[in-house]
Amino acid sequence: MQSLSTTYATLSTTRNEAAVEVLASVLSQATDDSVRMMAIRAMQLRPESRAPEAIFENWGLLRDQEKLTLRDNVSWLEKTVLDQLKSAHESTGTAIEVARFLSMTSAVRPLISLAESCNDRETQETATRAILELVAPLGQNARRDHDQQSVRLPIVQRLAESVDTFSVHRNASLVDAFLIASYWGDRELRQIFADQRQSMKLIILRLGKTKHPAVVELLAGYVRRKKIPSQVCELIHERNDVHFRASLLTAIGSEPPMTVIHNLRSITMPKSCVGGAALLDLLPASLHAALVQLYGAACLEPIVTMHVVVKALKLGGPKTGHAAAVALSRCEILDIDYWMRAAVPVADDDLEEIAADPDAQLVKSLIDLLDHKDAAIVRGVRRVLGPMHAEAMLPRMGALRPRSRRRLGRVIMMIDLDAIDRVRDALRHSVLNKRLEAIAMADALGLVDLLTDSFAHISTEDHQEARMLAADVMADASSEETLQLLTDMLELPASPVRDAAEAAVLKRRKVNQRSGTRS
């Protein structure tokens, strides 16, 4: 082997140009891998242009591993390949294959000419496929902030010319190639939208329909730009396929900046992401947070958004908790009537009815989240459930029948940690109606026995209407203290207040008799 190495070292440096042919013959005759590799390496050291031409001519004989070694010395073959592409003869197909295999970006421009005007359909299609493959990493690197501008921009400029001449060559894949190679800030791309050129319609058409991952990524990535052409906003809203959905959610990310949030609010809910909580079953966990962020920013239906939040938290996924807290903080607060209707099955703990009622399920799930370990999520839940807090519910309680308000009261106590303090403060309010509301709320929440000090003051010092209502709600209390307050009210002169107290005491005695206890 040592003697062979010496032989090939000599063949790589000798002035005898016939050495190239000797080395080339090895590729057609030798089977030993090491011998063939020594021949290829020796040829790469030869100064004659004939050496790369010989490799090109024998390309079909090279083994895959041998071809791979040439990727480290692409420039050595470059002139030969480019000359072959420009001359347009029977070896053009091989030139395209070599350029593609070696990722020879310098070949893109002559390949574009072939894709535009070559008379041979097969060659035209092969050149087009090679272009798409060669420009893809250039565009991808640019969109990931690793741009090779000196290589990419001349190609983009040439492809932009091809877009403008589409009516001549009719090769739509070259339009795709332009988009695949492009970065959002490229002058050529921005100019097409700014000038409202005829080619803009073509660009919009391809952005809206092409499934090539790079084109989909380009369209979706606009959501992160400070300025988006209005036509692109419409495309983001209208495009409706799973490829775009995944790319859009990836662009949104689990912690989108405010630029993205503002853009989503302007675009409104993209059709590709319509589907609410059920959509989570179709997505990998890595995109759950992005979907929650999208619904928090763009969905105009807060009930749907909250269902998405609840299910996302159950399924989990990276940053889902953070996204849920953000979405809840942005969610529109629903009217109190919605919560009152939805809370009834929860108040009754009617599992069958809850299972049949999505709104009741939502209330139950949100209440369960009040025990979540993430304080930000708990704050968000308390915010959306704000209408069911004691202070918000006070004006409603007086108008409800005792049984109805007590049912709702059970839910309020699950939600509002400050309910007792809010009711105690309201019982001392200077406005009579506010005190009446507080008395009804104390009854609803089952707090009468816990607020005997407040009721002692009301039963002796307050307005007649307040004293009568206080007697009425103390009829359903159970403590000795409230019974004593009612007994003291029996000592009053004949009045509606004493009548209310008598009715309350009678009611409590009947209850106690039924339960077998002494009043």
Side-chain angles (χ1 to χ4, degrees):
M1 184 63 72
Q2 182 63 40
S3 60
L4 278 177
S5 298
T6 303
T7 299
Y8 283 106
T10 301
L11 288 171
S12 70
T13 57
T14 180
R15 294 181 180 181
N16 188 341
E17 295 184 358
V20 174
E21 305 306 326
V22 174
L23 291 169
S25 68
V26 174
L27 300 178
S28 61
Q29 298 173 12
T31 58
D32 184 271
D33 288 342
S34 60
V35 170
R36 293 173 61 87
M37 196 65 74
M38 283 190 286
I40 292 170
R41 287 171 179 159
M43 290 182 76
Q44 291 184 72
L45 296 174
R46 299 295 305 177
E48 304 93 341
S49 61
R50 174 61 190 146
E53 289 172 0
I55 286 289
F56 179 85
E57 291 168 2
N58 288 280
W59 182 261
L61 298 176
L62 297 183
R63 297 167 182 173
D64 288 345
Q65 191 60 40
E66 294 164 355
K67 292 177 181 179
L68 288 173
T69 63
L70 295 171
R71 286 184 174 175
D72 297 328
N73 195 12
V74 174
S75 59
W76 180 70
L77 265 174
E78 192 170 56
K79 183 178 184 304
T80 300
V81 173
L82 295 181
D83 288 345
Q84 295 294 328
L85 289 174
K86 293 171 184 177
S87 60
H89 46 63
E90 59 184 21
S91 62
T92 301
T94 302
I96 294 172
E97 167 58 21
V98 175
R100 184 200 63 78
F101 189 89
L102 298 181
S103 301
M104 193 178 291
T105 53
S106 57
V108 172
R109 293 170 69 86
L111 284 170
I112 293 171
S113 297
L114 286 173
E116 288 176 333
S117 59
C118 183
N119 293 325
D120 181 71
R121 181 65 175 262
E122 184 178 353
T123 300
Q124 188 179 43
E125 291 177 353
T126 305
T128 300
R129 288 195 296 271
I131 293 166
L132 295 174
E133 188 173 335
L134 289 169
V135 302
L138 296 176
Q140 184 181 72
N141 289 338
R143 292 187 292 274
R144 284 159 176 70
D145 298 325
H146 300 297
D147 197 5
Q148 296 174 276
Q149 289 192 358
S150 60
V151 176
R152 186 182 67 87
L153 289 182
I155 292 173
V156 169
Q157 291 163 4
R158 176 63 181 88
L159 286 168
E161 294 172 8
S162 190
V163 171
D164 285 335
T165 58
F166 172 77
S167 60
V168 177
H169 59 75
R170 310 298 294 178
N171 189 341
S173 292
L174 291 177
V175 182
D176 291 347
F178 169 70
L179 294 170
I180 290 167
S182 290
Y183 175 78
W184 303 281
D186 285 346
R187 181 179 62 83
E188 291 76 13
L189 183 59
R190 289 187 290 107
Q191 205 66 41
I192 287 174
F193 288 108
D195 294 348
Q196 301 281 304
R197 297 206 298 263
Q198 184 67 26
S199 55
M200 184 185 74
K201 294 180 180 179
L202 184 60
I203 290 294
I204 291 172
L205 178 66
R206 301 309 295 173
L207 278 172
K209 291 186 175 181
T210 303
K211 293 181 180 179
H212 192 288
V215 178
V216 176
E217 178 186 77
L218 182 71
L219 175 59
Y222 269 107
V223 78
R224 301 186 73 86
R225 307 296 294 176
K226 289 184 178 180
K227 293 183 179 180
I228 311 178
S230 59
Q231 303 89 343
V232 173
C233 283
E234 185 176 352
L235 275 178
I236 293 174
H237 181 267
E238 292 296 321
R239 179 156 181 171
N240 187 12
D241 58 85
V242 294
H243 309 283
F244 179 63
R245 177 204 298 153
S247 194
L248 177 61
L249 291 173
T250 300
I252 291 170
S254 57
E255 297 181 90
M258 284 309 299
T259 297
V260 174
I261 299 303
H262 290 317
N263 287 338
L264 291 174
R265 287 172 179 166
S266 175
I267 293 166
T268 68
M269 181 57 65
K271 289 183 178 179
S272 62
C273 296
V274 170
L279 206 56
L280 289 161
D281 295 324
L282 306 177
L283 297 174
S286 59
L287 294 180
H288 288 175
L291 187 73
V292 173
Q293 292 278 13
L294 169 60
Y295 270 77
C299 184
L300 301 178
E301 302 177 69
I303 296 173
V304 176
T305 298
M306 286 186 283
H307 275 292
V308 170
V309 167
V310 166
K311 185 166 183 177
L313 287 172
K314 288 180 180 177
L315 295 177
K319 301 287 186 178
T320 300
H322 169 76
V326 171
L328 289 170
S329 73
R330 292 177 176 147
C331 197
E332 178 186 344
I333 304 299
L334 291 170
D335 185 86
I336 193 170
D337 291 330
Y338 167 81
W339 293 114
M340 289 175 66
R341 288 191 301 271
V344 171
V346 179
D348 295 338
D349 198 24
D350 188 334
L351 299 182
E352 186 175 338
E353 190 173 348
I354 292 172
D357 184 349
D359 293 333
Q361 290 174 31
L362 179 59
V363 172
K364 178 69 165 59
S365 297
L366 289 172
I367 290 173
D368 290 343
L369 286 175
L370 291 172
D371 293 326
H372 200 279
K373 62 182 179 181
D374 189 329
I377 291 174
V378 175
R379 284 195 301 272
V381 173
R382 292 199 183 284
R383 176 184 173 275
V384 296
L385 290 176
M388 287 295 288
H389 284 211
E391 190 170 4
M393 288 292 292
L394 276 168
R396 294 297 188 104
M397 285 303 183
L400 298 176
R401 294 192 301 272
R403 181 173 179 275
S404 296
R405 69 188 181 216
R406 287 169 195 148
R407 292 167 79 191
L408 289 173
R410 289 194 287 273
V411 177
I412 294 171
M413 287 298 287
M414 298 178 198
I415 295 171
D416 190 356
L417 295 177
D418 300 321
I420 296 177
D421 292 335
R422 298 289 80 78
V423 174
R424 181 181 283 113
D425 292 343
L427 288 170
R428 296 194 297 265
H429 202 282
S430 60
V431 178
L432 173 60
N433 282 341
K434 297 294 183 182
R435 296 197 300 278
L436 294 175
E437 292 170 357
I439 293 169
M441 179 62 82
D443 176 52
L445 303 184
L447 299 178
V448 175
D449 288 320
L450 297 177
L451 298 171
T452 52
D453 54 341
S454 298
F455 275 87
H457 176 78
I458 292 171
S459 65
T460 58
E461 304 293 337
D462 213 323
H463 187 279
Q464 174 177 287
E465 189 175 353
R467 297 164 75 190
M468 290 172 62
L469 183 57
D472 186 49
V473 301
M474 284 192 287
D476 295 299
S478 58
S479 69
E480 290 296 327
E481 290 84 352
T482 52
L483 180 58
Q484 185 59 53
L485 291 177
L486 288 171
T487 303
D488 293 343
M489 293 170 77
L490 296 178
E491 302 300 320
L492 295 171
S495 64
V497 173
R498 191 178 73 176
D499 293 342
E502 288 176 349
V505 171
L506 180 61
K507 183 177 180 180
R508 288 186 64 154
R509 284 174 179 166
K510 288 180 178 179
V511 170
N512 288 337
Q513 286 171 359
R514 285 196 297 270
S515 63
T517 61
R518 292 178 66 244
S519 60

